[in-house]
Amino acid sequence: MKKMYRTLAVSALLGGLALTTYAQEFKAGFVNTDRIFREASSAKAAQSKLEQEFSKRERELIAASNQLKSASEAFERDAPTMSESQRLAKQRALVEQDRDFQRKSREFQEDLSVRKNEELARVLEQANRVVQQVAEKEKYDIILQEAVYVNPKHDITDKVIKALNDGSK
């Protein structure tokens, strides 16, 4: 019986040593994708590209909004002096103008969202390639992109951003 306990204790000790050795060899890292989207030069370039692409439509929407607001205020001011038929016609025109504005605004938001997702996907694809290169070069076993808590010593986001910025030059 003693011999069996001794064998079991030695086995447990050896197993614990093997796990400790394995745990020391395991190397994990973390990448904050939000920071990459904010700080990487390729992400900033994508944002600038989107702003240029959509700025004209945005200005047109702002102008249409201001025109609709002015027309609505003029209607409110002039409505008491208008005939019933004039008031109804003006009201219909305002409703139609508002409907057109809402449609254009919705289309703008949808187009912007689609293009933004395309650009972010491109940046994320580049970032993932860089993460893989860093992981292979520095022999990481795992790189996580989402975590509740990360010890700062495991955060390799700065390395990835630097590599992305160096690669885009």
Side-chain angles (χ1 to χ4, degrees), residues 37 60 66 69 81:
F37 288 147
E60 290 171 356
N66 291 337
K69 184 179 176 185
T81 61

Side-chain angles (χ1 to χ4, degrees), residues 6-46:
R6 189 178 303 151
T7 305
L8 194 57
V10 169
S11 295
L13 180 64
L14 290 175
L17 289 174
L19 284 176
T20 303
T21 303
Y22 178 74
Q24 289 174 348
E25 293 175 13
F26 185 78
K27 190 171 180 184
F30 170 76
V31 174
N32 185 331
T33 52
D34 290 336
R35 274 194 54 214
I36 290 172
F37 288 147
R38 283 191 319 268
E39 298 175 19
S41 59
S42 57
K44 290 177 182 178

